[in-house]
Amino acid sequence: MARPLFSATKALLLPAPSPSPAPASSSAAAAAAAASLLPLLPCKRRRKLLKKLNSPRVAPIEPEEARRVPELDAVLDRDAAFRFLTRARSFLAALPPPHRIPLAEAGKLYRELGFPRGRSVSRAAARHPLLFHLPTVGSVPHLALTPFMRSLLEEERRLHDELLPTRVRTVRKLLMLTDHRRIPLAKLHHCRAVLGLPDDFRDRVGEFPDDFRVAVDPDGRHVLELARWDPALAVSALERDFVVDERRVRRTFRFAVAHSRSMPLDAEDADRLDAATTFPLVSPYTNGALLRPWTPEAEKYRVGVVHELLSLTLEKRALIHHIFEFKEELSLTRHMYASLRNQNRAFYLAGTEMNWAVFLRDAYGDDGALREKDPLVLFNEKLQRYACMNEDGFLQGEHSLTD
């Protein structure tokens, strides 16, 4: 009889669309161009540039160039290009009407508004003339949203209202992944864009008393607790895929088995040894705190938890900072980089050593586009298209639609 791939019982018994991607990401291309100048520079400047190139800010998280996927690297470059749009619209939308802030004050909020420190906020706003403008109120210049941008935000709010039941299901599954079925509300708010939650989700959890409870932990933090366990939700994306295509799921993950060098094994024999001696994958909806640390089962549990967490995100990817936001709740360890890198068929690591992201490979096509797009992802792509237009281009687009 075939052995099941997922073993929860055993674990419980144990104590605008982005432009066409370039051949390489812009950050990697810039680093390569800088490295090509090394032989031409004097010794002192060469050492300085070499030190900069080896900095975690620019050093790629994937050291082997052959394993890099330029199409997925380009997704992070797109995020960087629209960082001001993403952060500034969220910040200004949270202000009371008419959603504006004095330009002198906005110039100090480079972190909140997403423009480089020391740069001009007005220059960042001028790149998106359809969405941001600089009105003068009482001789004081302000940064504000255009009326067109405010209408788009109203559309986004309506979309969030329609998708709220789906987002509630996502948060319930996330709570079911945690050890104690609770997460601080501040962490959910910090990761709201990754999970597709509305900005006011913290204020709306009271609308679902059958699903959530809000409590205060000993540290004085407000935490969201799971009100009831739903066995129908305790099924991971891997388990659903396993029913459809068992062979593909088995090929997705490889956990090597240590054996003596004196045992000559070809590739086929090694695969048979792996299949015969490794533990089956552990369901991420078991209690990871009960697993013994540093065992194969514990590693498989943590890999499965990260896979399920990414499957709950809006774009099937997340920065490592967002994943480790739930480090305590999901029993993750600081050795996750090695575990994720070993599973290169399931995950792709992109970015730099200081700020890298984890992608679900199966969720993306060869062109770097999501295979299945949430309605909110489609809205964000439309917003990015408008961000790249000027007024003339917008009017031409409107005329082409009416014609």
Side-chain angles (χ1 to χ4, degrees), residues 23 36 103 109 111 131 146 154 208 231 234 265 379 384 386:
S36 66
L103 198 59
L109 303 175
R111 288 193 183 93
L131 309 180
T146 63
E154 286 297 328
F208 306 95
L265 295 175
F379 173 83
Q384 290 168 4
Y386 286 133

Side-chain angles (χ1 to χ4, degrees), residues 82-131:
F82 290 111
R83 184 176 293 120
F84 176 79
L85 168 65
T86 304
R87 295 189 183 179
R89 67 155 176 162
S90 179
F91 182 86
L92 294 176
L95 298 177
H99 306 290
R100 65 189 180 207
I101 184 174
L103 198 59
E105 186 177 342
K108 304 174 185 178
L109 303 175
Y110 59 92
R111 288 193 183 93
E112 291 81 356
L113 297 179
F115 63 94
R117 183 179 184 179
R119 302 290 181 87
S120 170
V121 64
S122 59
R123 181 179 297 180
R127 297 204 311 265
H128 314 301
L130 283 181
L131 309 180

Side-chain angles (χ1 to χ4, degrees), residues 237-290:
L238 281 175
E239 290 172 304
R240 292 195 301 269
D241 292 344
F242 180 71
V243 175
V244 178
D245 191 347
E246 176 181 346
R247 292 189 61 187
R248 185 184 65 80
V249 175
R250 286 188 180 276
R251 289 195 304 267
T252 300
F253 296 93
R254 295 179 62 89
F255 294 89
V257 178
H259 59 270
S260 173
R261 291 186 179 181
S262 62
M263 183 187 300
L265 295 175
D266 58 20
E268 184 177 356
D269 291 337
D271 289 341
R272 289 179 179 176
L273 181 64
D274 287 347
T277 59
T278 55
F279 288 106
L281 285 178
V282 179
S283 172
Y285 290 97
T286 58
N287 192 341
L290 301 179

Side-chain angles (χ1 to χ4, degrees), residues 137-364:
V137 181
S139 74
V140 177
H142 283 66
L143 173 66
L145 302 175
T146 63
F148 177 64
M149 180 62 168
R150 292 200 295 269
S151 68
L152 289 175
L153 291 182
E154 286 297 328
E155 179 184 345
E156 184 183 29
R157 290 191 190 96
R158 292 193 295 269
L159 189 59
H160 274 302
D161 290 340
E162 295 173 3
L163 296 173
L164 190 58
T166 304
R167 303 302 184 237
V168 168
R169 180 179 180 273
T170 297
V171 176
R172 288 177 63 196
K173 288 177 70 70
L174 182 58
L175 287 169
M176 292 170 66
L177 287 174
T178 61
D179 292 341
H180 303 291
R181 320 305 178 205
R182 52 164 53 188
I183 294 176
L185 275 169
K187 293 187 176 185
L188 283 175
H189 184 72
H190 177 66
C191 300
R192 64 191 184 280
V194 179
L195 298 170
L197 303 178
D199 290 342
D200 60 348
F201 183 77
R202 288 184 297 184
D203 303 324
R204 303 185 66 174
V205 293
E207 301 175 12
F208 306 95
D210 295 335
D211 301 316
F212 306 123
R213 289 190 300 264
V214 178
V216 180
D217 67 2
D219 296 330
R221 301 177 301 178
H222 287 80
V223 297
L224 189 66
E225 296 182 341
L226 184 69
R228 59 186 176 89
W229 180 273
D230 188 352
L233 293 181
V235 181
S236 68
L238 281 175
E239 290 172 304
R240 292 195 301 269
D241 292 344
F242 180 71
V243 175
V244 178
D245 191 347
E246 176 181 346
R247 292 189 61 187
R248 185 184 65 80
V249 175
R250 286 188 180 276
R251 289 195 304 267
T252 300
F253 296 93
R254 295 179 62 89
F255 294 89
V257 178
H259 59 270
S260 173
R261 291 186 179 181
S262 62
M263 183 187 300
L265 295 175
D266 58 20
E268 184 177 356
D269 291 337
D271 289 341
R272 289 179 179 176
L273 181 64
D274 287 347
T277 59
T278 55
F279 288 106
L281 285 178
V282 179
S283 172
Y285 290 97
T286 58
N287 192 341
L290 301 179
L291 295 172
R292 290 176 296 177
W294 318 120
T295 60
E297 277 192 323
E299 181 183 3
K300 289 191 172 189
Y301 165 79
R302 290 191 294 267
V303 169
V305 162
V306 173
H307 188 284
E308 183 67 1
L309 174 62
L310 292 177
S311 72
L312 296 176
T313 60
L314 191 65
E315 297 188 49
K316 313 308 177 190
R317 61 183 174 94
L319 292 172
I320 192 63
H321 304 300
H322 290 136
I323 295 175
F324 267 74
E325 188 77 15
F326 307 110
K327 176 182 177 181
E328 298 176 359
E329 290 79 9
L330 300 179
S331 301
L332 302 180
T333 70
R334 59 188 178 89
H335 299 285
M336 284 307 301
Y337 166 71
S339 298
L340 296 175
R341 190 168 186 272
N342 289 338
Q343 306 300 330
N344 62 319
R345 295 185 180 182
F347 307 108
Y348 176 68
L349 311 185
T352 64
E353 292 178 359
M354 179 164 286
N355 193 22
W356 48 285
V358 187
F359 288 74
L360 280 185
R361 280 186 180 269
D362 287 346
Y364 286 81

Side-chain angles (χ1 to χ4, degrees), residues 367-388:
D367 57 351
L370 271 172
R371 298 183 188 276
E372 298 181 6
K373 296 184 179 181
D374 185 271
L376 192 57
V377 173
L378 297 175
F379 173 83
N380 289 334
E381 290 181 350
K382 179 175 71 173
L383 191 64
Q384 290 168 4
R385 286 197 296 271
Y386 286 133
C388 297

